[in-house]
Structures are given as structure tokens and as C-alpha cells.
Amino acid sequence: MEKRKVPHDFLWGGAVAAHQLEGGYDKGGKGISIADVMTAGANGKDRDITKGILPNHYYPNHEAIDFYTRYKEDIRLFAQMGFRCFRTSIAWTRIFPRGDEEKPNEEGLRFYDDLFDELLKYHIEPVITLSHFEMPFYLVEKYGGWRNRKLIDFFVTFAQTVMERYKDKVKYWMTFNEINNQASVQNPWSGWTNSGILYEKGEDVQTVLQQAVHYEMTASAMVVKLGHEINPEFQIGCMLAMVPFYPRTCSPQDELAAQTAMEHRLYSYGDLHVFGEHPAYMEAFRREHGICLDITDHDRKCLKEGCVDYIGISYYMSSTISSVETEGSTQVGDGIYVAPNPYVAKNDWGWQIDPQGLRYSLNLLHQRYHKPIFIVENGLGAYDKLENGTVHDSYRTDYLRQHILEMKKAMFLDGVLVMGYTPWGCIDLVSAGSGEMEKRYGFIYVDKDNHGNGTLERRKKDSFAWYKQVIESSGEIL
């Protein structure tokens, strides 16, 4: 299996997000995004969300790694590795600084024109996420984020503007990044990064969450339909955080708890994107819990008319579900507990490492949806040590090798259609979760620490040459 080659049109590349590497938060007419008011956290410490940009606070996304001015240098390095595609996002606030303007910011549009031209010069296909944890902060302050139906029109206007502008430069699109992350309501910032929502004391979290998700899904479907009208060659996908939940034991209770967790945290989002309707199990859940949503007949029509072409996923880890509390478990629902898996290792941030879980995940999605799957995030966050001008990161290549091998098994042994693979953070960038720089994923080291100190100099790690060889050999040499 290690010697098998993937198809010649397979999309090898790397993945980032605008707010985690661009910097230039106040350049080119850009407005303030929800990422711009998140301070730096640390390993095991959440980031703070402030009411605007405050003095004496460090906001790591403001400069990030200054891709905004250094993108040509970085794209040359990507081209040296042989990238066939590069996944990034368009910062909504570069195009519409507040989010509700009638006319876009031309300087922001020109920046992405230049960026995409530079990629295409090296025959690197842009893969673009429209909303990747960086919606305008103004839309939160004035409208309440995705609590408000008005955001559907604002998002569709943004999407239409960039799709029309780049219709001959960008073929691959995704609407909302990891839209199902916000199902983890125990995480204090999951609703913020996805939807610009901080839950208020005393409100029914499930009602707020599911209403926001419905508005986002309706907007997504409208954009898919609109995009296909703008250019029928567009491939427009969704993007799901894939964390498969194994039953903790083979007891029927654990099996059912895991099934429920998969429905609420993954399938309910995928089903809306692919089938274009609210699944029966979520309708039943809302009836049982007295949740009434604002869903119109027009919304339901839009959902049906805007089903996605492919499924983009991130995959970093698996988890287990128990129906009873166990050591180290966390309750995430009635009779549903997330528990550590004793059979797999974990990284320095406690993320469990399960390469076989990727094959398992690909099969789950393939069997349910029968759509091409694009692995648009996978990687190992680690503490790298710079020695003699490079990083000897065999731990990273070992991680990626094992995951690529499982991906190939899914393709060749199981018949899963995988269209591409873009490891996350192909160049070191700011961590979305902790705001750290020292949680490094990249093939390219960036000289900057967690406090913002450093020259921003780029250096190739050992994994740079390894990944170049993987791409050159179409996955034959791992």
C-alpha cells in the first residue's frame, strides 16, 4: 500500500486561514474581525474575548506572520514543495470592513487579486473558504452575530462579490469552516469563532445555537446556488470538523450515546449541507425540548436548491463516548460523556493521535453521503526546536506518513473518493484555539514566539523536503 500512487489530478497542498497568518489587521482598509479581539492564550488556557481592541492586551492575529506583505516569498516556498493547491480564506473584513456596506473595499479586492495571481503563476489552485472564524466584529456589535436573520443577506452579498470578482481565478470554494465546532457548547469560544455569539446567562443555549446554524446553513445554500450560476465550473463544498466518536464499550447504552453524539455534533450539519433538509432526528429533538425556530418555507426551498458538491473535512483526532461518567470524562449531553481513549497516544495539547481514525472517518462520510471528500486539514501541533538553522521534525513526518497511508487505504481498499490533502498550517501560524505561535504545524519555521518576539524569518524544516518528495511521487514515497 505504501507504494501505491494516488491519481495524477489529486490536489496535494497546504492549508491556512487568513486571520491566522495575514496580519495587517489595520492595513488596506480592513475592518476589525472577531479574531482581532481575541487575546493570546496558552497551552491549557483559553483566549480572552474583549469588547473591542483594548490597550495593554496582546492580540496575536494583528501581525500574525505578516503574510499580507510576505505572501510572494511564502508562495515561492510552497511552489518549491510542489503544491498543486493552497487553501486559505478571504477575510470578510478586507472586502466589507463593517460587513453591512453596500459597496466593497476595492483595496481589499485587489489584495486577493494579486494573491491569486501569484498562486496561479506557479500553477497552484486557490481553495477558498468564505468564512473561517473571521466575520466582522461590527456585525456582532450591531446585529448580534448569527443570532440575526439579517446576516444571511450580508453574507450572500460578500460571497457574491468575491465569487464574481474571482470567477476566473478560483474554482474550489467552501462556505463555513468547521461549522459543527459550535455544537461543543461547553467550549466558551466555539460559538464566538463560528457565529459571533457569546451565550448570555439564563438563555437557552440550544435554541440560540440551532437558530444561528439554520441561518448559516440557509446562507450557505444560497451561496452554493448563486456560485453555480456565476460559474457552472465552480466546485463548492462544506467544511466539517471530523472527530469520530467511538463507543467507550460495547454496551448498547454506549453505542446509542455515541450515535447521538455523532448526530448532534456532525451528521446534523452534514445532512443539511448534502441533503438540503433538517434531519428527522433533530426535528424530534426540538419537539421534545420545546425549541421553536424561525424557519420559513423560503428557507427550506433554498436549502434544497443549494446542496454542496463535495465535503471538506479537518481530521486531527478521535474520541470516545460513554453513557456514564468515567475517569477523566466530560459531560456533553444527557447521558453522554466524552472520555479519553486509552488505546491511542496524544500530543502535547492532549489531542489524541489516531491515524486509523482517518480511514474510519472517510468511510463513515463516504457511506452516508456519496460525495467526494477533501481532507483540507490534518496535522500535528508540536513544540519545535530550531537547531543549526532548521528543525528536525521526524515526529511530524511520522504523523503525516501514518495518516496519508490510512487515506490511501480508504481510497484503494474501500473505494472512497478523496480529491485532495492539504496539511494544516503548512507554514507556522497563530493557533486559533490558544493564540500561540509555538504550537507549530508547518513545514516552514517562522521566527516568532508566543509573546510576539522574533524576526519573522522563514526556514525550511526537515519535513519540507519530505513533503516535496511525497508530492513528486504522487504519494508513492512516504
Side-chain angles (χ1 to χ4, degrees):
M1 184 56 59
E2 288 191 14
K3 297 298 183 183
R4 299 284 289 271
K5 291 185 177 183
V6 300
H8 71 279
D9 58 350
F10 189 83
L11 291 168
W12 295 101
V16 298
H19 71 99
Q20 290 172 257
L21 88 165
E22 281 185 5
Y25 85 103
D26 58 353
K27 295 180 180 178
K30 181 183 178 298
I32 301 302
S33 80
I34 58 174
D36 292 325
V37 298
M38 296 182 72
T39 67
N43 191 346
K45 179 183 181 299
D46 289 326
R47 306 173 70 173
D48 290 329
I49 299 166
T50 60
K51 294 184 178 181
I53 296 173
L54 305 180
N56 303 316
H57 286 68
Y58 174 50
Y59 299 96
N61 299 70
H62 286 191
E63 182 189 45
I65 64 166
D66 192 28
F67 184 77
Y68 183 73
T69 61
R70 296 169 181 253
Y71 68 88
K72 291 185 178 181
E73 169 192 353
D74 293 337
I75 290 171
R76 281 197 298 272
L77 291 170
F78 301 154
Q80 288 177 27
M81 272 188 284
F83 279 19
R84 297 173 187 173
C85 71
F86 176 60
R87 181 201 172 204
T88 187
S89 57
I90 293 176
W92 190 344
T93 51
R94 287 205 189 280
I95 312 305
F96 292 96
R98 294 195 315 269
D100 64 352
E101 297 94 338
E102 292 184 5
K103 294 184 178 180
N105 170 34
E106 178 61 27
E107 192 170 355
L109 288 167
R110 283 200 306 271
F111 169 73
Y112 290 107
D113 265 319
D114 295 342
L115 173 61
F116 300 153
D117 287 344
E118 193 69 16
L119 289 166
L120 293 170
K121 183 173 78 174
Y122 293 101
H123 307 288
I124 299 173
E125 290 272 5
V127 177
I128 301 303
T129 312
L130 289 167
S131 181
H132 193 137
F133 302 168
E134 52 201 347
M135 65 176 286
F137 180 62
Y138 180 82
L139 295 184
V140 175
E141 288 188 302
K142 183 172 182 179
Y143 300 96
W146 279 98
R147 297 170 183 267
N148 196 321
R149 175 177 281 277
K150 290 182 179 180
L151 265 73
I152 296 175
D153 289 338
F154 298 147
F155 180 74
V156 171
T157 297
F158 161 60
Q160 180 175 4
T161 299
V162 297
M163 284 179 156
E164 288 180 344
R165 177 78 170 220
Y166 309 123
K167 65 180 182 295
D168 298 320
K169 297 182 180 183
V170 178
K171 175 181 178 181
Y172 300 97
W173 302 86
M174 286 175 284
T175 52
F176 292 91
N177 180 71
E178 292 185 332
I179 191 168
N180 58 314
N181 265 2
Q182 58 196 314
S184 303
V185 294
Q186 294 75 22
N187 186 322
W189 57 272
S190 65
W192 178 258
T193 53
N194 282 100
S195 304
I197 289 173
L198 293 175
Y199 298 112
E200 299 171 3
K201 187 176 181 180
E203 71 179 344
D204 185 75
V205 170
Q206 280 296 327
T207 298
V208 176
L209 165 66
Q210 293 190 40
Q211 186 66 76
V213 169
H214 171 73
Y215 289 153
E216 287 167 330
M217 288 292 185
T218 303
S220 174
M222 292 171 68
V223 167
V224 171
K225 182 185 179 191
L226 179 63
H228 287 148
E229 293 169 354
I230 292 170
N231 185 345
E233 298 300 313
F234 279 172
Q235 291 291 301
I236 310 172
C238 60
M239 200 296 203
L240 304 173
M242 185 66 198
V243 181
F245 292 113
Y246 305 132
R248 175 75 168 179
T249 72
C250 58
S251 76
Q253 292 87 352
D254 284 1
E255 293 279 357
L256 287 169
Q259 175 181 302
T260 300
M262 289 292 286
E263 288 175 346
H264 283 252
R265 291 182 165 229
L266 176 70
Y267 291 144
S268 59
Y269 297 82
D271 289 358
L272 269 166
H273 277 304
V274 176
F275 303 135
E277 59 185 27
H278 287 272
Y281 54 85
M282 290 305 296
E283 299 276 18
F285 175 83
R286 288 195 282 266
R287 285 195 302 271
E288 287 298 306
H289 291 81
I291 297 173
C292 296
L293 301 185
D294 170 26
I295 301 176
T296 68
D297 290 340
H298 180 259
D299 294 345
R300 294 188 188 276
K301 181 174 182 289
C302 290
L303 289 168
K304 271 295 185 185
E305 293 176 343
C307 297
V308 296
D309 301 313
Y310 68 90
I311 298 169
I313 66 165
S314 60
Y315 177 81
Y316 296 99
M317 71 191 98
S318 61
S319 191
T320 63
I321 292 290
S322 175
S323 57
V324 296
E325 187 174 5
T326 60
E327 183 178 355
S329 66
T330 301
Q331 187 170 10
V332 297
D334 294 336
I336 302 175
Y337 297 83
V338 175
N341 187 339
Y343 296 100
V344 299
K346 61 182 179 180
N347 70 9
D348 291 327
W349 281 263
W351 293 22
Q352 300 207 282
I353 300 172
D354 178 15
Q356 288 178 299
L358 176 56
R359 180 183 179 186
Y360 176 71
S361 297
L362 292 170
N363 274 278
L364 287 179
L365 294 171
H366 172 70
Q367 291 162 10
R368 189 178 187 94
Y369 296 126
H370 306 286
K371 292 280 186 182
I373 302 170
F374 198 161
I375 304 169
V376 295
E377 291 186 31
N378 175 236
L380 177 69
Y383 291 112
D384 289 343
K385 185 177 181 181
L386 191 65
E387 297 179 304
N388 299 320
T390 190
V391 174
H392 304 298
D393 54 344
S394 58
Y395 43 88
R396 179 167 291 109
T397 55
D398 288 345
Y399 175 99
L400 295 173
R401 179 183 297 110
Q402 292 176 53
H403 284 77
I404 292 172
L405 180 58
E406 294 300 324
M407 175 190 76
K408 289 167 65 176
K409 289 178 182 177
M411 295 172 70
F412 295 117
L413 300 182
D414 307 328
V416 178
L417 178 56
V418 181
M419 55 191 284
Y421 178 79
T422 58
W424 175 252
C426 50
I427 181 171
D428 290 346
L429 40 61
V430 175
S431 167
S434 64
E436 297 172 274
M437 268 300 302
E438 293 173 25
K439 185 183 183 183
R440 300 181 183 274
Y441 285 87
F443 305 116
I444 301 164
Y445 182 90
V446 177
D447 180 28
K448 189 174 183 181
D449 66 17
N450 286 349
H451 307 287
N453 304 310
T455 66
L456 295 175
E457 181 182 4
R458 276 64 163 153
R459 294 176 182 268
K460 300 174 184 177
K461 304 178 188 179
D462 285 356
S463 56
F464 184 103
W466 174 84
Y467 193 50
K468 174 181 172 67
Q469 181 175 255
V470 171
I471 296 174
E472 286 178 344
S473 69
S474 294
E476 179 184 4
I477 301 174
L478 297 178

